[in-house]
């Protein structure tokens, strides 16, 4: 299981629902698995956020030209959200390192901590509620957690931002 691909597939499943609700959604990954391949030969949907927003025409400062490797994919989502003047940023991830359940992180020092905390609470509450009613009544609620600059996606965005750690990839029950 590759976290990056699982995260992309989760967002692909959520994307049409968000659009149907009237949300203006700006994903930083290709949402169509049938769109073809990148010049590297890999499918476009597998390409990281940096390469995707670069292909959308974002300037180098947005897709992280001054960063290397995976850091570009950490910088690109918040910088792209800033570039398109997004109202909020929600990053979908999965956890590892032992444990179970869902947690939602927000930045306590980015100037939008109150709004980010409120957004994190709303998302965390609804996610855990749905997971418990539709999947596992005993789903672990790891709660809302704050970090002062510890997560690039939250720290770099100029607005309310959260990172949802949906489940633990190294926990078979969560993986299922």
């Amino acid at each position: 299981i590759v976290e990056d691909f699982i995260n992309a597939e989760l967002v692909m499943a959520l994307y049409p629902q968000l659009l149907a609700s009237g949300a203006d959604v700006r994903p930083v990954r290709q949402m169509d698995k049938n769109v073809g391949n990148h010049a590297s030969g890999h499918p476009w949907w597998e390409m990281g956020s940096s390469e995707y927003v670069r292909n959308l025409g974002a300037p180098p400062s947005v897709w992280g030209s001054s960063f290397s490797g995976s850091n570009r994919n950490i910088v690109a989502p918040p910088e792209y959200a800033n570039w398109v003047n997004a109202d909020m940023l929600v990053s979908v991830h999965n956890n590892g390192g032992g444990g179970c359940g869902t947690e939602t992180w927000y930045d306590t020092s980015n100037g939008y901590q109150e709004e980010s905390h409120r957004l994190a609470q709303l998302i965390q509450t609804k996610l855990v509620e749905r997971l418990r009613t539709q999947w596992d009544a005993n789903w672990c609620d790891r709660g809302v957690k704050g970090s002062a600059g510890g997560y690039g996606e939250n720290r770099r965005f100029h607005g309310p931002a959260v990172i949802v750690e949906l489940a633990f990839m190294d926990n078979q029950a969560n993986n299922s």
Side-chain angles (χ1 to χ4, degrees), residues 4-5 28-29 46-54 62-65 67-80 89 91-93 152-153 156 163:
D4 198 35
F5 299 160
V28 292
R29 298 285 292 268
E46 289 183 2
M47 299 308 298
S49 58
S50 174
E51 189 61 21
Y52 184 70
V53 299
R54 179 182 181 182
V62 169
W63 50 265
S65 64
F67 292 88
S68 63
S70 63
N71 287 333
R72 284 185 173 181
N73 291 321
I74 293 171
V75 170
E79 294 301 335
Y80 180 70
L89 174 67
S91 296
V92 177
H93 291 249
E153 292 99 328
R156 298 181 73 93
I163 296 175

Side-chain angles (χ1 to χ4, degrees), residues 14-28:
L14 184 58
Y15 182 65
Q17 295 174 43
L18 290 169
L19 291 177
S21 76
D24 178 6
V25 184
R26 308 286 179 96
V28 292

Side-chain angles (χ1 to χ4, degrees), residues 1-19:
I1 293 177
V2 177
E3 180 190 7
D4 198 35
F5 299 160
I6 294 295
N7 297 344
E9 290 179 322
L10 287 166
V11 174
M12 284 178 203
L14 184 58
Y15 182 65
Q17 295 174 43
L18 290 169
L19 291 177

Side-chain angles (χ1 to χ4, degrees), residues 30 32-47 55:
Q30 175 54 252
D32 183 353
K33 283 189 171 184
N34 300 313
V35 87
N37 290 342
H38 177 265
S40 67
H42 294 280
W44 258 111
W45 79 270
E46 289 183 2
M47 299 308 298
N55 187 63

Side-chain angles (χ1 to χ4, degrees), residues 95 103-107 116 120 124 143-147 151 154 161-165:
N95 243 329
E103 62 190 15
T104 304
W105 287 86
Y106 72 100
D107 195 272
S116 295
Q124 179 72 16
V144 169
K145 299 178 179 182
S147 173
Y151 292 88
N154 289 346
V162 298
I163 296 175
V164 177
E165 297 281 0

